Amino acid sequence: MFGYRLAGSNVLSGAFACILIALFLSLSLNRPVLAAKKPVKEPAVQSMRFAVVRMAVPTCEPGCPEWISASGTILGDTPAKLRKILKVMGKRRLPIIMESNGGNVDAAMEVGRVIRKRGLDVAIGKTRFDGCNPDQKCKPDRYADGAYAGFPYPAGAYCLSACPYILAAGEKRFVGPWALIGVHQITQVYTQTRITYQTRYRMVNGKKKVLDTKIIGRKPAGSYERTDLSKGYRKKLLAYFTEMGVDPTIVDRMLAVPAKDISVLTQDELTQYKLVTGTGDVSDLAATRICTQDSKPANCVELKPLPTKVVSRID
């Protein structure tokens, strides 16, 4: 005979075995996300996308500057997307011109370590595409290496919330006077899951001998947010900025700003925290002038012109 019982109920025992079904709540910690709560019907955020871009100025050919355009929200898949485009690039070292409203802090730090390992520079700026762009269903065919055509510019660009964690990873880090760097507290979202599990046991001489236990169901049980960081996580943030050569006291500056607000760092603060390595902007990494220097940067890429297509027809 077999019997069943629910945790907290009376025992229904049998001669040989019983099955115990117990319910418990488990808490799983999600990665930190943006502080602002989203309206219920808000459209899905655009995950950060990466694209190789070439300066769309014919006069700099055959050796024009190229860069990686990064734009959008930092999500869990962002590190994998960056690794994918770096793999396609091979050994080329292109700077990253980035704009982002923030997102997942752990993912941002993972992206940062990929950037630092590759030795890439980072500047905050926008990319204006000329013709085909990554958000369209088109294939760039202007250049032999498959790069998109475009222009970099710093005006109105922003890097908020988790974005500065990526900026911190650049070998060279530029934020022009017309770009904005904003910081605030980290919001951690805890999701609760109701797990149903089943334990099978046998009664031997009046005592319970467990045979096996298995999970038979999971259901969401709500979520909640917190902005008070554990000592361990705060230590993790301090270690990251120290690793990147940025003053770790920037963490205190971030945590002093309520999650619902944003504080824009001044140029003096960017220098104070070593979040920038100089007073330049995107033009120092991607302007055509950098490819006229005697010692050309690695992102001045020389390309052979595409073969001219010949179209034959009979009238």
Side-chain angles (χ1 to χ4, degrees), residues 14-297:
F16 297 103
C18 293
I19 296 179
L20 169 66
I21 299 178
L23 300 177
F24 69 95
L25 290 179
S26 70
L27 298 180
S28 60
L29 173 62
N30 273 4
R31 294 175 176 176
V33 296
L34 289 173
K37 294 182 179 180
K38 299 176 183 178
V40 176
K41 295 185 179 180
E42 183 179 350
V45 296
Q46 179 185 354
S47 174
M48 179 170 279
R49 57 118 173 96
F50 299 93
V52 175
V53 187
R54 188 175 181 85
M55 178 66 82
V57 178
T59 54
C60 66
E61 295 295 353
C64 288
E66 294 190 352
W67 64 93
I68 299 172
S69 168
S71 177
T73 303
I74 306 159
L75 301 180
D77 64 346
T78 302
K81 292 168 73 174
L82 176 60
R83 288 189 179 96
K84 182 178 180 180
I85 197 167
L86 291 179
K87 184 177 181 180
V88 172
M89 283 170 42
K91 295 182 179 181
R92 287 189 296 170
R93 283 199 315 118
L94 304 183
I96 294 178
I97 294 179
M98 175 179 63
E99 178 180 67
S100 174
N101 62 339
N104 187 311
V105 173
D106 283 340
M109 289 192 288
E110 187 177 347
V111 167
R113 289 191 169 97
V114 172
I115 289 172
R116 179 56 63 89
K117 183 177 180 179
R118 192 70 176 249
L120 306 182
D121 301 329
V122 179
I124 303 306
K126 296 174 177 285
T127 295
R128 179 167 63 85
F129 292 91
D130 185 31
C132 181
N133 72 69
D135 296 324
Q136 297 175 330
K137 293 182 178 179
C138 58
K139 184 177 180 180
D141 58 2
R142 189 182 304 187
Y143 304 116
D145 63 349
Y148 290 89
F151 307 91
Y153 62 100
Y158 52 84
C159 177
L160 311 175
S161 189
C163 177
Y165 290 80
I166 297 180
L167 170 63
E171 288 287 350
K172 292 180 181 178
R173 305 182 290 274
F174 294 130
V175 178
W178 306 111
L180 302 177
I181 306 297
V183 298
H184 63 181
Q185 291 175 334
I186 293 173
T187 296
Q188 293 178 302
V189 179
Y190 294 78
T191 59
Q192 299 179 110
T193 303
R194 185 179 297 276
I195 302 177
T196 306
Y197 66 94
Q198 176 180 285
T199 299
R200 191 165 62 93
Y201 62 89
R202 184 183 301 275
M203 298 302 295
V204 179
N205 298 326
K207 294 183 179 181
K208 210 166 44 172
K209 181 180 179 181
V210 175
L211 301 177
D212 56 52
T213 300
K214 65 179 180 180
I215 294 174
I216 60 175
R218 296 175 183 267
K219 290 184 179 180
S223 63
Y224 63 95
E225 299 177 352
R226 295 182 63 173
T227 57
D228 54 321
L229 297 184
S230 66
K231 291 182 179 179
Y233 200 83
R234 186 175 184 278
K235 185 177 180 180
K236 180 179 179 179
L237 301 182
L238 293 171
Y240 175 79
F241 284 113
T242 300
E243 175 187 345
M244 297 302 163
V246 174
D247 187 343
T249 60
I250 193 174
V251 173
D252 294 326
R253 179 72 169 83
M254 293 173 169
L255 299 183
V257 182
K260 63 181 180 180
D261 297 326
I262 198 84
S263 178
V264 176
L265 300 180
T266 65
Q267 288 291 322
D268 286 342
E269 286 178 312
L270 293 174
T271 301
Q272 172 191 336
Y273 294 121
K274 300 179 183 178
L275 202 54
V276 294
T277 58
T279 57
D281 58 23
V282 295
S283 64
D284 290 84
L285 299 181
T288 56
R289 60 177 170 78
I290 69 172
C291 296
T292 62
Q293 302 170 4
D294 293 334
S295 179
K296 297 181 180 180

